[in-house]
Amino acid sequence: MTRSGATAGWPLVLLLAGVTSCGARSDDDDDDAADGDADSDGDGDGDGDVCTKGYAPFPTFDKSCEGDVDCVAGGHQRDCCGSLDFIGMNQAAFESFEAAEEQCRARNPAVCDCKPSHRAEDGEQVLGEQGLAIQCEDGACVAFAAND
């Protein structure tokens, strides 16, 4: 399949400037995916128990979309080098994503002396500011590498 989603030049710049440390996202299926809340332990108290075990757990967020315009990408830090996993999500979930990522950064400061490596949901490395695209694919926002 050929993807033609919008590249994320300006959102990527914003995300790279704002994300500084946290780890691999968890794909646990809890109620957070539907509402975008950062309550990753699933107990419903909304306390956002994220990244309490190193770089996990990290909640999932609403990925629903009707078109590319509904989608944004968030950079979730997966290691102490500052490596980011870019996650596609509905724009309405982005504020909750940022709050969860902020908690993660506070619990896991970037302290390693190593070069970060960024990747998209397709597992491909994201190279530079124009290396990420976001697309609504079968009703779900997806972040993918667009390094052409």
Side-chain angles (χ1 to χ4, degrees):
M1 170 192 293
T2 302
R3 289 181 164 150
S4 61
T7 57
W10 71 265
L12 180 59
V13 173
L14 173 69
L15 293 170
L16 288 175
V19 178
T20 57
S21 79
C22 200
R25 93 174 203 266
S26 168
D27 287 325
D28 58 357
D29 187 25
D30 57 24
D31 292 337
D32 303 332
D35 61 16
D37 291 339
D39 181 30
S40 64
D41 59 0
D43 62 6
D45 63 5
D47 59 2
D49 297 329
V50 298
C51 298
T52 56
K53 298 176 181 132
Y55 298 103
F58 196 71
T60 56
F61 297 91
D62 179 13
K63 296 176 79 62
S64 67
C65 58
E66 293 182 20
D68 293 348
V69 71
D70 297 331
C71 301
V72 295
H76 174 58
Q77 192 160 340
R78 71 177 179 271
D79 60 27
C80 65
C81 299
S83 301
L84 301 177
D85 281 337
F86 286 99
I87 306 163
M89 68 193 77
N90 186 289
Q91 287 190 30
F94 190 68
E95 188 175 321
S96 294
F97 167 84
E98 286 183 311
E101 188 65 22
E102 184 177 339
Q103 272 192 313
C104 241
R105 290 190 307 259
R107 291 182 174 148
N108 299 288
V111 295
C112 298
D113 185 21
C114 46
K115 184 177 178 184
S117 170
H118 310 310
R119 65 183 176 209
E121 289 176 288
D122 63 0
E124 296 294 320
Q125 187 174 10
V126 174
L127 305 171
E129 291 179 8
Q130 299 301 319
L132 181 70
I134 303 107
Q135 181 172 325
C136 180
E137 197 171 279
D138 298 325
C141 296
V142 178
F144 61 94
N147 297 312
D148 302 328

